[in-house]
Amino acid sequence: MLKISKKADYALMALQHIASVQFGDVTPGRVVNTKEIAEEYNIPLELLAKVLQTLAKNGMIDSHNGPKGGYLLARGARQITIAQILESIEGPLGITDCSHEKDGEFCMQREHCNIRTPLLKVQDSIYQLLSSMTLQDMLGGTPLITIQSPTAQGVTR
Amino acid sequence: MLKISKKADYALMALQHIASVQFGDVTPGRVVNTKEIAEEYNIPLELLAKVLQTLAKNGMIDSHNGPKGGYLLARGARQITIAQILESIEGPLGITDCSHEKDGEFCMQREHCNIRTPLLKVQDSIYQLLSSMTLQDMLGGTPLITIQSPTAQGVTR
DNA sequence: TCTTAGTCCGACCTATTTGATCGGAGATCA
DNA sequence: TGATCTCCGATCAAATAGGTCGGACTAAGA
């Protein structure tokens, strides 16, 4: 449960790769094309292409057409958060269906729903976590993220 | 994205309801049956029945057969965590496919996978969050949970 | 003791989502 | 101008989730 999709997985891998090439020591600034990434990580080419297109459309990467074309990060690796990447691919993050209800639409249970508020809290926490982590944090092997979640004992509010 | 299933939603609602009846002021200790919950929250009866059966099988609630039968919490509301409930319904929690790979099986990308480690970290954080929250925290309206996720700046390790 | 209301359990169907594929149009550079 | 890219939409198949059905078993109450 709570799984993220393969597409999102691919997006993360691809961005990590692009970032590491772009800011790496070997060939800094080099443009990376779809095929290279697909072969490196055994990702179906066409699917990866779609993922990269989506990322480009959402301003995560810049695309360059024609031969010797490919992709570059649109911003620095610190300016791209994991939350942004995931939302680019999978749409707005939401634990529950009722997270982003507009206008008149609401779930069948809304009226007597007893879990909406606490779940929205959980959702916020997860969102904050994903927003606090950037592409930069995924470079260089070991990640540095940590979290403290005090049990509900008279905290905040 | 990262949505939890309707079944899990129903499970949370049902447990919250059972807990609030059982420990409430009106009719403490009363047994609650499937129909009552289904009607209260507009949940399809048969589906809810399945959910409750699963919860019973996993030791979250005790079932009582026959007329005047129904369900009771198997433990105190503080002893049941959100993580336990969700896992009862949806199986082990895992952000990525490769979270619980056994033996020889591994994803196509494993070999060069560059995002496994950081994602597992994220997963741990979420799991801790869900484990720190109990059914008790969902009673009484406003939840008290909070979270602190320091950006990756020289933390832990 | 018999009936009835309830749980229990498993098989089943359907709709939605996801993963993956195909084909052509437009851009760029040698 | 042709080869090599990205771009974009349409499409398909498989997996999963949501929801349904029917029957067996159990226990309380008349």
Side-chain angles (χ1 to χ4, degrees):
Chain A
M1 63 146 299
L2 278 182
K3 216 177 337 188
I4 63 179
S5 69
K6 281 241 171 68
K7 280 193 209 173
D9 260 341
Y10 296 158
L12 290 173
M13 286 187 222
L15 285 175
Q16 200 275 355
H17 183 80
I18 294 174
S20 70
V21 164
Q22 195 164 338
F23 302 120
D25 297 331
V26 194
T27 50
R30 202 186 94 228
V31 173
V32 182
N33 70 19
T34 311
K35 197 175 168 191
E36 171 182 334
I37 302 175
E39 286 176 354
E40 176 83 8
Y41 301 101
N42 286 308
I43 304 173
L45 183 67
E46 292 84 4
L47 186 55
L48 178 62
K50 274 194 75 148
V51 169
L52 291 174
Q53 285 158 27
T54 308
L55 289 175
K57 196 182 302 176
N58 287 92
M60 301 288 116
I61 49 181
D62 289 330
S63 67
H64 292 271
N65 253 345
K68 305 288 175 195
Y71 294 98
L72 281 176
L73 288 193
R75 290 166 270 155
R78 286 196 191 283
Q79 271 67 56
I80 301 181
T81 70
I82 305 301
Q84 287 168 354
I85 299 171
L86 295 182
E87 288 199 312
S88 290
I89 300 296
E90 309 201 348
L93 179 143
I95 291 282
T96 76
D97 280 332
C98 58
S99 324
H100 354 78
E101 287 171 345
K102 314 178 187 75
D103 323 330
E105 48 159 347
F106 48 86
C107 75
M108 219 81 279
Q109 289 78 29
R110 178 62 169 281
E111 194 174 352
H112 300 102
C113 184
N114 48 9
I115 60 171
R116 187 176 149 83
T117 320
L119 281 187
L120 288 181
K121 270 285 185 183
V122 170
Q123 178 175 310
D124 276 355
S125 297
I126 293 178
Y127 189 79
Q128 281 175 31
L129 168 63
L130 295 178
S131 295
S132 74
M133 209 174 158
T134 71
L135 195 51
Q136 178 69 41
D137 301 324
M138 304 196 68
L139 296 175
T142 12
L144 305 170
I145 198 82
T146 199
I147 204 171
Q148 290 180 8
S149 61
T151 323
Q153 287 163 357
V155 214
T156 349
R157 122 127 197 290
Chain B
M1 62 146 299
L2 277 183
K3 218 177 331 190
I4 63 180
S5 70
K6 281 241 171 66
K7 281 191 205 172
D9 260 340
Y10 296 157
L12 290 173
M13 285 187 222
L15 285 176
Q16 200 275 354
H17 183 79
I18 294 173
S20 70
V21 165
Q22 194 164 338
F23 302 120
D25 297 331
V26 194
T27 51
R30 202 187 94 229
V31 172
V32 183
N33 68 22
T34 310
K35 197 174 167 192
E36 172 183 334
I37 302 175
E39 286 175 354
E40 175 83 9
Y41 301 102
N42 287 307
I43 303 174
L45 182 65
E46 292 84 4
L47 186 53
L48 179 61
K50 276 194 71 147
V51 169
L52 291 175
Q53 285 159 28
T54 308
L55 289 175
K57 196 182 304 176
N58 286 93
M60 302 287 116
I61 49 182
D62 288 330
S63 68
H64 292 270
N65 251 346
K68 306 288 177 192
Y71 294 98
L72 282 176
L73 289 193
R75 287 166 271 156
R78 286 196 192 283
Q79 272 65 57
I80 301 182
T81 70
I82 306 299
Q84 286 168 355
I85 300 172
L86 295 182
E87 289 198 312
S88 289
I89 301 296
E90 309 201 348
L93 180 144
I95 292 283
T96 75
D97 280 330
C98 58
S99 324
H100 354 77
E101 287 170 347
K102 315 176 187 74
D103 320 332
E105 48 160 347
F106 47 86
C107 74
M108 218 82 279
Q109 289 78 30
R110 179 64 170 279
E111 194 175 353
H112 300 101
C113 185
N114 47 10
I115 60 172
R116 187 175 149 85
T117 319
L119 281 188
L120 288 181
K121 269 283 185 185
V122 170
Q123 179 174 310
D124 275 355
S125 297
I126 294 178
Y127 190 79
Q128 281 175 32
L129 168 63
L130 295 177
S131 295
S132 74
M133 209 172 159
T134 72
L135 194 52
Q136 177 70 42
D137 300 325
M138 303 196 70
L139 297 174
T142 11
L144 304 170
I145 197 80
T146 198
I147 204 172
Q148 290 180 8
S149 59
T151 322
Q153 287 164 357
V155 212
T156 349
R157 126 124 197 296

